[in-house]
Amino acid sequence: MRLLVVEDDRDLNRQLVAALEQAGYAVDRAFDGEEAFFLGETEPYDAVVLDLGLPKRDGISVLTEWRKIGRTMPVLVLTARDRWSDKVRGFDAGGDDYVAKPFHVEEILARLRALVRRAAGHATSEIVCGPVRLDTRAGRVLVDGNPIKLTSHELRLLSYLMHHTGRVISRTELVEHLYDQDFDRDSNTIEVFVGRLRKKLGVEIIQTMRGLGYLVAPTTPGGT
Ligand code: CA
């Protein structure tokens, strides 16, 4: 999953990015409204953390414009104070949730997990595909009840595929959602990661759709 953090307070921006990267996300950052708008317009983020008080262009205007041009990624709004009028403006502009400053980073993480999950159509914090269980809260993967040790890249890859079960995901899409802007991207490495992931999982839940990409089939409720 790839996120955008928009916050002009450099220390806070750095703290947020560090915590999100630690939690396994690929993260891009913006420090003013113009940069934020451009990134959100051109890059496919799985969610955005958006401060409202920004230089060059305020957060409400950025969000309103994103929605107007059809950008639908979940947006978590940061409000400067616990002011009800800021929250209302945030929701009216197309925000999905908000957190008032000062906040605990754990709350941001929990709300983002929920936003990303719900945007992908999952109601609970656990996603199950056959024998594989992804605990999005703990960032843990179990196969037949046994924990599997994955690198952060492998976890990010599996997490993206499992969030989007039933849909063929191209390598380009994976590259766009697994790496931040500054990463030296190469879609050939995806194949290598998928190979390693399959070996570690030991079960075949990732299908290769020749020439198209990868597919993880959804588990039907009540099935195995
Ligand atoms: Ca600010």
Side-chain angles (χ1 to χ4, degrees):
M1 301 290 162
R2 183 171 167 210
L3 309 178
L4 173 65
V5 169
V6 185
E7 169 60 68
D8 57 314
D9 179 325
R10 295 207 163 242
D11 283 341
L12 191 53
N13 192 312
R14 196 180 323 117
Q15 278 172 37
L16 275 170
V17 170
L20 293 170
E21 283 179 341
Q22 174 74 27
Y25 297 100
V27 189
D28 289 347
R29 63 208 83 190
F31 299 93
D32 66 63
E34 275 175 16
E35 194 185 8
F37 177 75
F38 174 73
L39 285 172
E41 182 190 25
T42 51
E43 300 291 327
Y45 295 109
D46 295 295
V48 176
V49 178
L50 178 68
D51 182 33
L52 291 188
L54 294 168
K56 293 189 184 171
R57 186 167 180 180
D58 74 85
I60 292 289
S61 143
V62 170
L63 180 53
T64 305
E65 189 72 14
W66 277 341
R67 295 314 191 213
K68 206 152 96 189
I69 60 168
R71 304 301 281 170
T72 58
M73 67 284 193
V75 173
L76 175 66
V77 168
L78 299 181
T79 61
R81 287 167 296 273
D82 203 2
R83 261 178 31 191
W84 68 268
S85 56
D86 273 2
K87 294 174 208 163
V88 171
R89 288 201 312 144
F91 281 122
D92 282 347
D96 299 276
D97 201 355
Y98 74 88
V99 172
K101 293 180 190 174
F103 50 77
H104 291 283
V105 126
E106 283 305 322
E107 183 178 359
I108 301 270
L109 288 171
R111 289 183 181 277
L112 281 173
R113 279 196 299 271
L115 286 176
V116 168
R117 260 199 290 115
R118 274 192 251 122
H122 299 279
T124 61
S125 64
E126 250 189 13
I127 302 174
V128 179
C129 295
V132 182
R133 193 172 284 271
L134 171 70
D135 178 348
T136 61
R137 270 180 64 197
R140 220 164 50 129
V141 176
L142 301 168
V143 176
D144 288 324
N146 303 309
I148 304 291
K149 214 168 158 46
L150 299 178
T151 65
S152 62
H153 273 95
E154 290 161 356
L155 180 63
R156 212 181 274 170
L157 172 62
L158 182 65
S159 176
Y160 193 81
L161 290 172
M162 285 184 73
H163 271 80
H164 300 95
T165 52
R167 187 155 77 70
V168 178
I169 313 286
S170 71
R171 277 197 261 169
T172 312
E173 180 174 344
L174 283 172
V175 168
E176 281 177 337
H177 288 267
L178 301 186
Y179 302 116
D180 61 57
Q181 218 188 356
D182 304 328
F183 198 87
D184 182 18
R185 301 161 176 203
D186 175 4
S187 67
N188 289 318
T189 57
I190 294 290
E191 217 170 290
V192 178
F193 278 123
V194 169
R196 280 190 214 151
L197 195 51
R198 279 180 172 142
K199 207 175 273 178
K200 283 195 182 177
L201 293 175
V203 289
E204 265 307 318
I205 64 159
I206 305 169
Q207 301 168 42
T208 300
M209 310 302 279
R210 208 160 290 282
L212 298 173
Y214 302 98
L215 171 73
V216 172
T219 302
T220 47
T224 44

